[in-house]
């Protein structure tokens, strides 16, 4: 089966955030919306068919998680990440960002410190702030075109009130697939100080050629003991609007606290359509996943060549996973990131994420989502190149 990722699908009229918030964010609707991290590729037919099949039944009543759901999830994780997850460690989770918020509420108290490593996926910042916890930044260091963790700074910031670290593994927006040595060192430091690590592994199934995802919990026994891992098919199979994810918590004490939190608000279940989609994704999705990644890699290569040839002032951080590319635009010489962002939108027709929303280290950066048809990417970049010529 060959899937077609060149297809251009009009998303207008579907309440797509990517389109409907352009005016508010960019001051114009006339942009290529290459920001929100969902794909412009068709959600694969084996998933749409599974949903349609469920809708054939005329009653959409209260339903259990299908019996295949957890065995398929566990098998998928074993096959793709060589992690043997016990059935008792895993449960349904209604979205990873909500899961991070639940973890913050479960394992910390108001005023406690939570570490994140910016520039990083911005909801990490909001979740901590919205729950009145103290945000501690351990800013990543850029070395040889990729991000590294700053362990010295990390250790120097930890106090008796530091209770949690939120890890993006692989990293969004830098696209870094953290290696075993890095994760082991992180685990060692966090275990020494009784810090729980929330490992957000939503991008795990999208490592690119030459890279392999390492689940944080697998690097050592102490990592397993302090870990709360979240995974999902939502990003990989373009079904984030359905909301389906899982938590995996090997440590019984941490698990009991998390499950108790979920139970207190009756948050343990999902909806029948996301169950059906997840089962179909893990049962039939491998070929689609591989072809989708091949197409994404083609787009990343296209972007890299285009920038080198036409916009050498923009330096892409080459991602090791996923479809997001972090662009260093400092050489364009804008006064600040707001001005840069506005120029890209209003002159270059680029609807991109502003680097500073990802926290410190995001200055003079933008994030582009290349999970779109190549022709759209090409048109968008041409439009940017024309605008930059006039600078
Ligand atoms: C690192 C990361 N975590 C979580 C999410 C969103 O997860 P969910 O839609 O399940 O809340 C995203 C989406 O872009 C992401 O990049």
């Amino acid at each position: 089966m060959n899937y077609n990722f060149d297809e251009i699908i009009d998303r207008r009229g579907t309440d797509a955030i990517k389109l409907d918030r352009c005016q508010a964010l960019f001051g114009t609707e006339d942009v290529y919306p290459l920001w929100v991290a969902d794909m412009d590729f068709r959600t694969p037919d084996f998933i749409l068919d599974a949903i349609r099949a469920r809708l054939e039944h005329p009653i959409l009543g209260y339903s259990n998680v299908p019996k295949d759901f957890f065995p398929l999830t566990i098998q998928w994780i074993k096959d793709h990440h060589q992690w043997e997850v016990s059935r008792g460690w895993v449960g349904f989770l209604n979205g990873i960002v909500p899961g991070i918020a639940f973890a913050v509420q479960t394992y910390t108290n108001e005023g406690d410190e939570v570490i994140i490593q910016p520039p990083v996926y911005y909801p990490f910042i909001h979740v901590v702030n919205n729950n009145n916890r103290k945000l501690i930044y351990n800013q990543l260091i850029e070395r040889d075109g990729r991000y590294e963790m700053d362990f010295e700074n990390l250790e120097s910031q930890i106090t008796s009130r530091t209770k949690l670290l939120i890890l993006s593994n692989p990293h969004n927006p830098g696209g870094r697939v953290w290696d075993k040595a890095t994760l082991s060192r992180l685990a060692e430091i966090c275990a020494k100080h009784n810090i729980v690590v929330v490992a957000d592994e939503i991008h795990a199934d999208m490592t690119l050629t030459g890279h392999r995802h390492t689940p944080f919990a697998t690097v050592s026994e102490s990592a397993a003991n302090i870990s709360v891992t979240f995974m999902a098919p939502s990003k990989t199979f373009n079904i984030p609007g359905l909301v389906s994810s899982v938590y995996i918590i090997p440590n019984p004490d941490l698990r009991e606290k998390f499950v108790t939190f979920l139970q207190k608000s009756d948050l343990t279940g999902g909806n029948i359509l996301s169950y059906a989609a997840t089962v179909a994704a893990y049962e039939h999705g491998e070929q689609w996943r591989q072809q989708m990644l091949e197409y994404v890699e083609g787009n990343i290569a296209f972007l890299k060549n285009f920038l080198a040839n036409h916009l050498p002032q923009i330096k892409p951080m080459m991602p090791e996973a996923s479809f997001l590319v972090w662009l260093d635009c400092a050489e364009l010489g804008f006064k600040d990131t707001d001005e840069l962002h506005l120029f890209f939108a209003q002159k270059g027709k680029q609807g991109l994420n502003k680097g500073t929303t990802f926290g410190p280290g995001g200055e003079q950066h933008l994030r582009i989502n290349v999970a779109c048809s190549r022709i759209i990417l090409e048109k968008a970049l041409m439009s940017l190149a024309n605008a930059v010529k006039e600078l």
Side-chain angles (χ1 to χ4, degrees):
M1 174 87 192
N2 270 326
Y3 296 101
N4 175 16
F5 298 96
D6 286 322
E7 184 185 11
I8 297 174
I9 301 173
D10 188 352
R11 294 179 68 178
R12 280 175 302 179
T14 65
D15 302 311
I17 290 179
K18 203 180 232 174
L19 301 182
D20 289 6
R21 293 208 189 142
C22 283
Q23 184 67 42
L25 276 173
F26 308 114
T28 168
E29 293 200 338
D30 188 19
V31 290
Y32 293 97
L34 304 175
W35 60 295
V36 171
D38 58 19
M39 306 188 199
D40 288 339
F41 307 143
R42 164 186 290 276
T43 297
D45 280 331
F46 52 84
I47 291 182
L48 297 178
D49 289 344
I51 292 171
R52 283 188 200 106
R54 180 60 189 85
L55 292 175
E56 283 302 307
H57 194 282
I59 298 178
L60 305 178
Y62 291 121
S63 305
N64 288 316
V65 179
K67 66 177 181 343
D68 292 350
F69 184 99
F70 291 115
L72 282 167
T73 301
I74 288 168
Q75 190 63 42
W76 179 273
I77 293 169
K78 183 175 176 201
D79 292 347
H80 291 80
H81 310 302
Q82 293 69 53
W83 184 15
E84 302 257 5
V85 171
S86 294
R87 172 65 190 91
W89 302 351
V90 55
F92 186 84
L93 183 66
N94 251 309
I96 288 187
V97 175
I100 296 170
F102 303 156
V104 165
Q105 292 168 45
T106 302
Y107 303 116
T108 71
N109 294 311
E110 289 208 1
D112 282 346
E113 294 161 356
V114 178
I115 300 179
I116 67 167
Q117 306 193 88
V120 73
Y121 180 56
Y122 43 86
F124 290 10
I125 299 172
H126 304 315
V127 161
V128 176
N129 286 336
N130 291 343
N131 284 287
N132 301 323
R133 272 60 172 176
K134 191 169 169 210
L135 195 55
I136 304 292
Y137 288 132
N138 180 45
Q139 193 175 328
L140 296 171
I141 304 173
E142 190 178 338
R143 203 168 279 141
D144 301 328
R146 57 214 293 254
Y147 280 128
E148 291 184 2
M149 291 185 197
D150 185 345
F151 291 117
E152 253 176 57
N153 186 56
L154 176 67
E155 287 219 75
S156 75
Q157 302 227 63
I158 294 170
T159 73
S160 58
R161 295 224 56 182
T162 314
K163 302 288 189 237
L164 198 81
L165 181 143
I166 311 171
L167 171 71
S168 180
N169 179 38
H171 182 76
N172 171 9
R176 182 78 205 272
V177 174
W178 299 115
D179 57 33
K180 188 172 177 201
T182 301
L183 296 174
S184 302
R185 179 95 181 88
L186 183 69
E188 218 174 274
I189 295 169
C190 291
K192 188 166 105 190
H193 297 279
N194 292 318
I195 295 170
V196 173
V197 175
V198 171
D200 171 349
E201 305 200 349
I202 195 169
H203 294 277
D205 295 330
M206 292 187 289
T207 49
L208 303 172
T209 304
H211 300 281
R212 173 175 267 205
H213 173 69
T214 304
F216 172 75
T218 63
V219 298
S220 63
E221 214 178 306
S222 53
N225 252 325
I226 58 170
S227 67
V228 172
T229 301
F230 300 141
M231 288 183 163
S234 51
K235 200 115 306 211
T236 316
F237 293 100
N238 208 21
I239 48 172
L242 284 172
V243 187
S244 181
S245 36
V246 292
Y247 65 80
I248 306 165
I249 312 177
N251 178 326
D253 181 42
L254 292 184
R255 189 169 62 245
E256 202 221 299
K257 288 190 169 106
F258 193 76
V259 172
T260 302
F261 179 93
L262 296 181
Q263 284 170 342
K264 277 203 276 188
S265 298
D266 197 12
L267 287 165
T268 51
N271 75 75
I272 50 179
L273 301 185
S274 64
Y275 294 154
T278 301
V279 167
Y282 288 154
E283 207 164 16
H284 306 296
E286 183 52 16
Q287 205 183 26
W288 188 90
R289 185 189 75 91
Q290 287 183 16
Q291 289 181 31
M292 177 276 290
L293 287 177
E294 210 174 293
Y295 192 89
V296 164
E297 287 201 47
N299 277 2
I300 293 169
F302 179 85
L303 172 75
K304 182 183 175 208
N305 290 335
F306 189 99
L307 294 180
N309 292 327
H310 304 284
L311 291 162
Q313 311 92 317
I314 303 176
K315 314 272 187 252
M317 183 173 277
M318 292 311 287
E320 300 167 344
S322 205
F323 48 80
L324 307 166
V325 187
W326 190 231
L327 305 173
D328 180 346
C329 305
E331 275 186 30
L332 287 172
F334 284 93
K335 176 172 76 68
D336 58 30
T337 317
D338 287 346
E339 203 180 73
L340 166 76
H341 187 240
L342 215 59
F343 171 83
F344 266 61
Q346 303 200 337
K347 299 279 194 253
K349 295 193 178 185
Q350 309 291 301
L352 308 188
N353 293 84
K354 195 195 306 184
T356 41
T357 57
F358 296 81
E363 301 79 11
Q364 299 289 349
H365 283 75
L366 298 169
R367 192 192 73 178
I368 186 168
N369 173 349
V370 300
C372 60
S373 95
R374 192 150 314 147
I375 194 85
I376 295 287
L377 183 62
E378 187 176 352
K379 282 185 182 168
L381 290 171
M382 295 284 282
S383 156
L384 178 64
N386 288 335
V388 170
K389 252 189 241 153
E390 316 225 317
L391 262 181

